[in-house]
Amino acid sequence: MTQAAWDELLDKQACVELVYRMARAIDRCDEALLRSLFHPNATDDHGGFRGAATGFIDWVLPLLATMKRTQHCIANVLIEVSGDRARGESYFTAHHALAQPSGPDVHMVAAGRYLDSFERRDGEWRFAHRQACYDWNAQAPSTDSWDRAAMPGWTFGQRGPADASYANFAGRLQPSTGGA
């Protein structure tokens, strides 16, 4: 493989990592990580929000706070690199646990694709623009039956730095002492 091919592969991987880190930042409600993924003048178009990426972050975090849990699953990531710019398309399936005033939570699924523009500035790839393209959605009463309070020893996802993934990346993950 030529050096140019290796460089392109590394550039593509840097952009793919941004896509994955974006999903992590949203699901963990990690504001610092989220802000680090965009260039200062980046923009975002999520349908319900269009404008500066900083405004998107200020819009989406309170919206996420109304939800119990989210999980964005990313697939079919395609990246095309041209110098210090790249374009990408990645499929998403986003699960949302929506609390209801009475009755079971609602499980809402939104699926579509992210259409991204990336730029490398000062040697660092970040988002320059992100557009959500929605393909379908569904919702139904949630069938989540885990009584988390009655399941000591199990590791459940959490928002923010209390999530086990932060300890894992810091090399502090402890083995589980119970559960199946």
Side-chain angles (χ1 to χ4, degrees):
M1 186 178 270
T2 67
Q3 185 61 46
W6 277 113
D7 290 345
E8 182 178 0
L9 185 62
L10 291 173
D11 291 340
K12 286 183 177 191
Q13 185 60 35
C15 294
V16 169
E17 291 273 332
L18 286 169
V19 171
Y20 290 152
R21 288 183 191 283
M22 179 70 75
R24 181 174 196 251
I26 292 292
D27 291 335
R28 302 284 62 85
C29 294
D30 186 332
E31 182 176 355
L33 177 57
L34 194 54
R35 290 189 187 282
S36 75
L37 302 174
F38 290 100
H39 282 297
N41 64 338
T43 55
D44 187 283
D45 179 351
H46 259 73
F49 176 88
R50 288 185 178 108
T54 54
F56 166 73
I57 295 166
D58 295 339
W59 171 79
V60 78
L61 289 173
L63 179 62
L64 291 167
T66 69
M67 303 172 192
K68 287 185 171 180
R69 289 172 286 286
T70 60
Q71 186 180 65
H72 289 69
C73 301
I74 306 296
N76 300 6
V77 181
L78 297 174
I79 306 290
E80 294 182 358
V81 177
S82 178
D84 290 333
R85 294 178 182 219
R87 300 281 182 181
E89 176 187 57
S90 54
Y91 285 57
F92 70 85
T93 305
H95 299 264
H96 307 78
L98 308 176
Q100 300 301 299
S102 60
D105 295 345
V106 168
H107 178 206
M108 191 273 282
V109 180
R113 290 158 290 128
Y114 295 119
L115 308 176
D116 295 315
S117 298
F118 308 94
E119 290 182 10
R120 177 176 36 209
R121 299 180 192 168
D122 299 321
E124 184 177 12
W125 286 100
R126 291 189 189 188
F127 288 97
H129 178 73
R130 167 161 269 203
Q131 180 175 356
C133 176
Y134 300 98
D135 290 326
W136 62 270
N137 83 320
Q139 64 181 44
S142 177
T143 59
D144 181 352
S145 62
W146 284 336
D147 181 356
R148 289 159 175 78
M151 299 170 76
W154 287 54
T155 302
F156 291 99
Q158 299 182 50
R159 290 182 163 171
D163 186 79
S165 65
Y166 290 84
N168 179 52
F169 281 114
R172 300 186 314 265
L173 190 63
Q174 299 298 315
S176 179
T177 57

